[in-house]
Amino acid sequence: ISKLQEGDKTVWAKFLFSLKDQHDFQAFKLLSPFADKLLIAVNYGCGFVNFHGELEPLIASIIRDGKGWKTYDADDYVVALDKPDTENAEVFWVKCGILG
């Protein structure tokens, strides 16, 4: 807990993405050094990649709230967003895959 209190970003990243409940995730995120950031967890497997975190709710809200379309009916969409500021993005390594 002391590393969380100290604001260690790697420890916060690991902690936040260990939470299974979205409500808990959002509540603790507000206390974290990432309160004003969009957080996306990336899991690179063997031949696939999974993203989770705040990306899915963001995209769903753009489709659902912005357009009024369904996000549960096996429809496909393309969402175009302005490019983010990748130059100032922070990345935290949180877990080793197969070799570790």
Side-chain angles (χ1 to χ4, degrees):
I1 294 219
S2 63
K3 294 271 187 189
L4 292 175
Q5 292 171 334
E6 293 170 11
D8 184 302
K9 289 182 178 182
T10 299
V11 172
W12 267 105
K14 289 179 183 182
F15 171 69
L16 287 172
F17 284 101
S18 73
L19 300 172
K20 302 302 177 208
D21 182 81
Q22 186 65 17
H23 182 269
D24 290 345
F25 176 89
Q26 290 299 328
F28 280 104
K29 181 187 172 216
L30 292 175
L31 303 173
S32 80
F34 306 113
D36 62 341
K37 304 285 185 182
L38 173 68
L39 294 180
I40 303 164
V42 182
N43 174 5
Y44 283 104
C46 295
F48 70 89
V49 63
N50 289 321
F51 297 96
H52 64 277
E54 298 179 296
L55 186 60
E56 191 279 329
L58 171 68
I59 299 300
S61 72
I62 291 169
I63 293 168
R64 201 178 44 245
D65 303 338
K67 293 289 190 180
W69 294 337
K70 300 178 211 170
T71 57
Y72 55 84
D73 197 27
D75 294 333
D76 294 333
Y77 301 100
V78 171
V79 177
L81 299 171
D82 291 333
K83 289 185 178 181
D85 176 10
T86 58
E87 187 173 312
N88 294 309
E90 294 181 276
V91 178
F92 303 92
W93 181 83
V94 296
K95 185 178 115 184
C96 185
I98 295 172
L99 302 176

